[in-house]
Amino acid sequence: MSSVADAHAADHHDHGPAKGIGRWLFTTNHKDIGTMYLVFSFAMFLAGGAMAMIIRAELFQPGLQMVEPAFFNQMTTMHGLVMIFGAVMPAFVGLANWMIPLMVGAPDMALPRMNNWSFWLLVTGSLILMSTLFMDGGAPNFGWTAYAPLSTTYGPDSTTFFIFSVHILGISSIMGAINVIATIINMRAPGMTLMKMPMFVWTWLITAFLLIAVLPVLAGAVTMLLMDIHFGTAFFDAAGGGDPVLYQHIFWFFGHPEVYILILPAFGIISQIIPTFSRKPLFGYTSMVYATAAIAILSFLVWSHHMFTVGLPLPGELFFMYATMIIAVPTGVKIFNWITTMFRGSISFETPMLFAIGFVVLFTVGGLSGVMLAIAPADFQYHDTYFVVAHFHYVLIPGAIYGIFASVYYWLPKWSGRMYSEALGKAHFWLSFIGLNIAFFPMHFLGLAGMPRRYADYPIQFANFNQVSTIGAFLFGASQLLLVFIVYRAVKNGPKADAKPWEGAEGLEWTVPSPAPYHTFEQPPRVD
Amino acid sequence: MSSNQSYYVPESSIWPIVGSIGMFLTFFGLSTLLVNQSNGDPTTTAWVVFTIGALVLIYMITGWLRDVIRESRAGLYDAQMDRSFRQGMSWFIFSEVAFFAALFGSLFYIRFFAVPWLGGEGAKGTANMLWEGFQAQWPLLSNPDNSQFAGPDSVIGPWGLPLLNTLILVTSSITLTLSHKALKYDKRKQTIYWLAATVALGAIFLFFQIEEYIEAYSHLNLTLDSGIYGSIFFLMTGFHGLHVLLGGIILFVVLMRLIKGHFSAHDHFGYEAGAWYWHFVDVVWIMLFVFVYVI
Ligand code: HEM
Ligand SMILES: [Cu+2]
């Protein structure tokens, strides 16, 4: 090693984190930033969860008990927005920050200062979004989709703040995605060829591409809302030659790829965890990569399956129906590969693996109800009912959220150097699993029977299933507090973890000590 | 040696947090401003917050760039860092492409679906029941409900100022390429002259664009609230104009740096990033010229 390099390294890297609050405000370290993302997204998860509890409490009985219908509508809207933009997306970015450099053998993210800005813009955008709850006229109340004219002609004043918060959150995510791509393309250790990358890295590479491709489209959509509200334009007003349906097209051109943004990183996580605890390499790695890419490309061609009932021309209905069903093929490939990886493995059921198996089983339930919704004539019946709410919670909670939970248990030893309590972890899994199914399975029946979503009240015949659902929702909600306790206890005084706490685990992240030192891989490792 | 040198990770930086505070003030101020204006409430405080926010953002951008330029000139960046910057800039431009694609998609949807349906065309022509007798045409001079949206008297024809502006922007891309060539051969004087010409052409473009807007507003009744043609016309040309402004500012900063002696024949990423951006803005204009003005 040359002396210039030595001097240079000594100049910049020979010490740990800065002291005090400045460490977090000014940091350029991917581990610090990853931690901030994870903590922040978990706080938002609890906030969004509290809103869900308000929704479910109100729906415990028919009639109006707790909240005004106007406030109920704000809760459904903010719950959706907070969960998607505040909880799930940032949690995945946090995981990317922590793990991608460790997994590809890079010293940090490619653009460390911009990385910090991505995080603090997330906080900025979330603050503006949350502040709408305290404004005259209340928070946005038109659903997270912000359809015109609900959001234009009939929206509250806070809609303008909502629009700009979406812009800021979008900028934050785009910068985060650019950083992920640049890191993966440019910072891999020598010998880490593309087809040797861990699946989590692959799925994030594809997710980042989706983010950069569709968030600007969302920005365009909400910009047009802003113009219609304040500058008298007629984009979504047929009286001036525009079309409210145009908004839906633009929104869902963003929205469908967005749902894959919410799930692909979880696919990657599950593809890391199942091989570890099955003590077998991932079955069909190459097909996994191609299936992920295929899903991403197809996701641009199916957006109107959210709009079957809006009055599409018949060829449109047919095209979007068949295109949507085709996505089930690469998704099926993945499920098949996960199950085949487990087949004849010597499986052990630590908490990450439980969540991974829960993922495979319950995500498949959500995937199947998705295929039902894809059938255009059937969707005329299901559209905007609780069947849809059941469907997307089955893909979001056992999908995205279980993926995140699984990764927290799986990598917590690496992050903190300490083990969580396996008994408590299992309790968390089973309580969540039971609560989730009690909460959301009855919603299928409610939806099939015709109960519409986004209403504070319902006819008496829906009461029984709703009561069951609310009980399950509170069980699920309460068991998340257990997660806070488990993580807190582990980090405070859990038993020390080895560099590689899982005997079946593979990958560069397990070659560094636990907890991972502040700076890792300053000299790239060799991969062969 | 360079393979042994480790990737430069800045120790820490105040700029991201300053930038976030700036963004908060700017957009909280701007939202308040717009809402109060629409409601007829006083807007002074909102203006103040907005202005402070914008100033903080400018402070952040200059400070951040100064740090990066200082580090770059101190030789802290290696070839790998250069590739990271290139990746970053390319994907940023890709995101801009996606943004404009959404706008073009909206234009096509309105022209080929929304307006014809309102005019009674095809199976969806039942929409004509809303405003019976409404005639679909493009550009749309008479709106479905002219009492709500008074249509424009006429629109900007393509063969006057817009054609001139097209020639100006295309020329500016050529002068920029000449400047870049000169830089690669280390002919600094020519580099500077051609780049100055590029920036000047950009400024002239913007000047004519403003002229065109004034003409539209004062003589043609073509305004933001004159129905869908005015909406989409100003949205697309307006965002393009903002991008010309941004690209022009980037190139101007690059010009100043060249005059100060920055950049070399082999090492001039900042210059190239600005050039990529400028060519991108040029291509968008050509698309606009064809699809908004001509066709
Ligand atoms: C604690 C667990 C949760 C419960 C009990 C819950 C409950 C609900 C309910 C009852 C609704 C429907 C409200 C209505 O239409 O009247 C809803 C909507 C929604 N939820 Fe959840 N939810 C939970 C977690 C999540 C998570 C983790 C996500 C996302 C990752 C999520 C995303 C959404 C979205 C996008 C909507 C649609 C909002 C809208 O209609 O605009 N939820 N939730
Ligand atoms: Cu979809």
Side-chain angles (χ1 to χ4, degrees):
Chain A
M1 201 195 280
S2 78
S3 58
V4 178
D6 271 347
H8 178 73
D11 230 22
H12 292 281
H13 294 297
D14 264 13
H15 39 81
K19 298 275 174 304
I21 181 85
R23 164 174 180 187
W24 304 103
L25 292 181
F26 310 133
T27 183
T28 50
N29 181 286
H30 72 104
K31 301 182 182 86
D32 283 351
I33 295 173
T35 304
M36 291 197 290
Y37 263 111
L38 288 169
V39 171
F40 182 81
S41 64
F42 194 74
M44 292 297 270
F45 175 66
L46 294 183
M51 295 173 191
M53 295 304 113
I54 295 176
I55 299 173
R56 281 315 322 170
E58 174 58 47
L59 295 177
F60 185 64
Q61 287 178 351
L64 296 176
Q65 285 83 36
M66 290 183 45
V67 294
E68 295 287 313
F71 185 70
F72 183 92
N73 293 344
Q74 297 172 28
M75 284 294 102
T76 56
T77 307
M78 291 294 279
H79 162 71
L81 290 170
V82 166
M83 284 298 191
I84 290 175
F85 292 103
V88 175
M89 290 167 72
F92 283 140
V93 183
L95 293 170
N97 257 297
W98 249 104
M99 299 320 297
I100 289 177
L102 287 181
M103 290 175 129
V104 301
D108 205 297
M109 296 294 277
L111 303 160
R113 262 181 294 233
M114 193 172 87
N115 197 15
N116 177 315
W117 203 27
S118 303
F119 172 74
W120 285 105
L121 279 185
L122 164 70
V123 178
T124 306
S126 305
L127 275 178
I128 295 183
L129 181 63
M130 289 304 223
S131 72
T132 60
L133 280 167
F134 307 99
M135 288 179 188
D136 281 349
N141 53 8
F142 29 67
W144 84 281
T145 47
Y147 278 6
L150 286 177
S151 54
T152 50
T153 315
Y154 305 103
D157 281 350
S158 60
T159 310
T160 305
F161 292 82
F162 152 79
I163 289 169
F164 284 118
S165 78
V166 169
H167 279 133
I168 295 175
L169 294 172
I171 295 170
S172 156
S173 294
I174 290 174
M175 292 196 306
I178 289 176
N179 228 328
V180 166
I181 296 197
T183 308
I184 298 175
I185 304 275
N186 191 27
M187 308 280 289
R188 277 170 290 133
M192 172 72 77
T193 57
L194 283 176
M195 290 313 269
K196 276 188 194 153
M197 292 193 316
M199 268 317 287
F200 179 67
V201 179
W202 255 116
T203 54
W204 238 115
L205 179 65
I206 292 167
T207 304
F209 171 77
L210 288 180
L211 280 163
I212 303 175
V214 301
L215 279 169
V217 176
L218 175 66
V222 296
T223 303
M224 290 187 223
L225 287 182
L226 184 81
M227 305 279 289
D228 272 12
I229 295 172
H230 291 294
F231 299 101
T233 52
F235 293 112
F236 309 130
D237 190 340
D243 189 347
V245 177
L246 170 62
Y247 176 82
Q248 300 188 18
H249 280 294
I250 315 172
F251 179 84
W252 286 112
F253 188 83
F254 145 81
H256 191 81
E258 168 72 13
V259 308
Y260 286 99
I261 289 165
L262 298 173
I263 198 65
L264 291 183
F267 284 176
I269 292 163
I270 300 306
S271 307
Q272 302 294 134
I273 291 177
I274 288 187
T276 296
F277 296 97
S278 306
R279 292 161 183 81
K280 269 176 68 188
L282 182 67
F283 181 86
Y285 171 88
T286 318
S287 66
M288 278 307 212
V289 173
Y290 285 118
T292 314
I295 291 175
I297 290 165
L298 287 171
S299 76
F300 288 108
L301 303 175
V302 299
W303 74 91
S304 289
H305 62 210
H306 298 272
M307 304 165 58
F308 283 140
T309 61
V310 86
L312 298 178
L314 184 62
E317 303 266 343
L318 292 174
F319 173 82
F320 287 110
M321 171 165 96
Y322 290 121
T324 304
M325 290 181 176
I326 290 175
I327 295 199
V329 176
T331 315
V333 168
K334 292 188 148 276
I335 308 259
F336 177 85
N337 284 350
W338 289 320
I339 294 175
T340 314
T341 306
M342 287 190 272
F343 182 65
R344 296 190 146 181
S346 45
I347 303 182
S348 56
F349 296 94
E350 285 87 347
T351 311
M353 184 61 168
L354 286 179
F355 275 107
I357 296 174
F359 175 104
V360 175
V361 174
L362 296 182
F363 179 80
T364 307
V365 173
L368 291 175
S369 60
V371 179
M372 291 171 72
L373 289 164
I375 305 167
D379 185 68
F380 277 57
Q381 171 75 17
Y382 309 148
H383 182 73
D384 246 342
T385 68
Y386 257 82
F387 191 82
V388 178
V389 179
H391 155 68
F392 67 71
H393 283 90
Y394 264 90
V395 284
L396 280 173
I397 298 183
I401 300 286
Y402 272 25
I404 295 163
F405 285 170
S407 62
V408 168
Y409 287 108
Y410 186 56
W411 283 313
L412 187 69
K414 183 55 61 191
W415 301 337
S416 68
R418 293 178 186 271
M419 289 304 282
Y420 59 89
S421 150
E422 201 53 64
L424 287 177
K426 290 201 164 99
H428 175 222
F429 169 76
W430 284 110
L431 289 174
S432 296
F433 185 86
I434 295 167
L436 164 77
N437 283 294
I438 298 179
F440 293 104
F441 210 79
M443 289 185 189
H444 290 111
F445 307 126
L446 287 170
L448 292 177
M451 176 169 159
R453 66 191 271 213
R454 294 175 172 165
Y455 276 100
D457 191 5
Y458 52 82
I460 187 97
Q461 70 267 29
F462 298 133
N464 291 349
F465 279 134
N466 267 304
Q467 297 201 324
V468 174
S469 170
T470 295
I471 292 170
F474 274 84
L475 177 60
F476 180 84
S479 45
Q480 303 327 313
L481 300 178
L482 186 56
L483 176 60
V484 184
F485 175 71
I486 295 172
V487 171
Y488 178 81
R489 209 177 89 126
V491 172
K492 268 277 165 261
N493 46 20
K496 290 246 184 301
D498 296 338
K500 190 173 120 175
W502 316 113
E503 58 162 81
E506 307 257 355
L508 285 179
E509 78 262 39
W510 307 111
T511 62
V512 301
S514 297
Y518 199 58
H519 294 290
T520 34
F521 298 131
E522 284 176 274
Q523 295 304 323
R526 272 228 138 257
V527 184
D528 29 41
Chain B
M1 189 206 103
S2 81
S3 71
N4 263 344
Q5 186 178 336
S6 58
Y7 196 78
Y8 175 72
V9 178
E11 191 55 40
S12 66
S13 172
I14 63 161
W15 302 119
I17 196 85
V18 173
S20 302
I21 294 169
M23 290 287 272
F24 183 86
L25 295 175
T26 306
F27 286 104
F28 207 88
L30 184 58
S31 306
T32 318
L33 181 62
L34 289 171
V35 170
N36 287 4
Q37 202 143 37
S38 294
N39 294 345
D41 294 336
T43 52
T44 332
T45 330
W47 269 113
V48 173
V49 176
F50 171 71
T51 313
I52 294 176
L55 291 176
V56 174
L57 278 182
I58 292 172
Y59 173 64
M60 177 279 289
I61 292 171
T62 46
W64 191 324
L65 283 180
R66 191 173 303 130
D67 276 4
V68 173
I69 293 169
R70 191 184 300 131
E71 287 160 13
S72 161
R73 295 185 60 75
L76 295 174
Y77 295 165
D78 56 4
Q80 195 180 20
M81 184 58 111
D82 194 56
R83 285 198 299 276
S84 288
F85 282 141
R86 276 159 204 280
Q87 284 285 326
M89 190 64 195
S90 323
W91 289 104
F92 168 62
I93 291 179
F94 178 72
S95 79
E96 296 268 32
V97 171
F99 180 77
F100 277 101
L103 303 191
F104 277 104
S106 307
L107 172 71
F108 296 147
Y109 182 84
I110 285 169
R111 282 195 60 174
F112 298 120
F113 296 112
V115 172
W117 288 343
L118 281 170
E121 194 184 300
K124 296 287 150 204
T126 42
N128 191 238
M129 286 193 306
L130 287 168
W131 289 278
E132 234 156 319
F134 165 71
Q135 297 279 332
Q137 48 169 193
W138 195 264
L140 191 59
L141 296 180
S142 172
N143 293 313
D145 183 348
N146 284 305
S147 62
Q148 247 194 83
F149 294 93
D153 300 335
S154 69
V155 301
I156 307 264
W159 307 119
L161 271 187
L163 178 64
L164 184 61
N165 259 348
T166 310
L167 296 178
I168 289 174
L169 266 199
V170 172
T171 314
S172 78
S173 260
I174 297 172
T175 53
L176 181 58
T177 308
L178 290 174
S179 160
H180 195 180
K181 278 259 153 61
L183 179 58
K184 279 188 188 149
Y185 290 111
D186 226 356
K187 298 183 182 150
R188 298 196 67 88
K189 260 224 168 76
Q190 289 183 26
T191 312
I192 291 174
Y193 287 148
W194 285 122
L195 188 62
T198 310
V199 176
L201 286 169
I204 297 174
F205 172 92
L206 280 179
F207 174 78
F208 282 145
Q209 196 69 1
I210 293 169
E211 279 288 293
E212 185 179 295
Y213 280 12
I214 293 174
E215 164 80 4
Y217 260 78
S218 49
H219 298 300
L220 307 179
N221 237 346
L222 176 63
T223 63
L224 273 171
D225 41 19
S226 62
I228 193 63
Y229 185 83
S231 307
I232 198 93
F233 172 81
F234 284 108
L235 181 78
M236 296 186 76
T237 56
F239 267 105
H240 176 264
L242 284 179
H243 283 74
V244 175
L245 182 65
L246 180 62
I249 292 174
I250 297 176
L251 288 186
F252 183 75
V253 172
V254 169
L255 182 63
M256 291 300 125
R257 287 185 63 189
L258 274 169
I259 291 172
K260 276 179 97 177
H262 293 193
F263 300 123
S264 70
H266 302 291
D267 181 14
H268 51 262
F269 168 71
Y271 182 105
E272 278 189 289
W276 291 348
Y277 197 76
W278 193 256
H279 291 311
F280 155 72
V281 170
D282 195 17
V283 171
V284 172
W285 174 260
I286 291 171
M287 305 258 301
L288 277 181
F289 182 65
V290 173
F291 291 112
V292 177
Y293 291 94
V294 177
I295 299 183

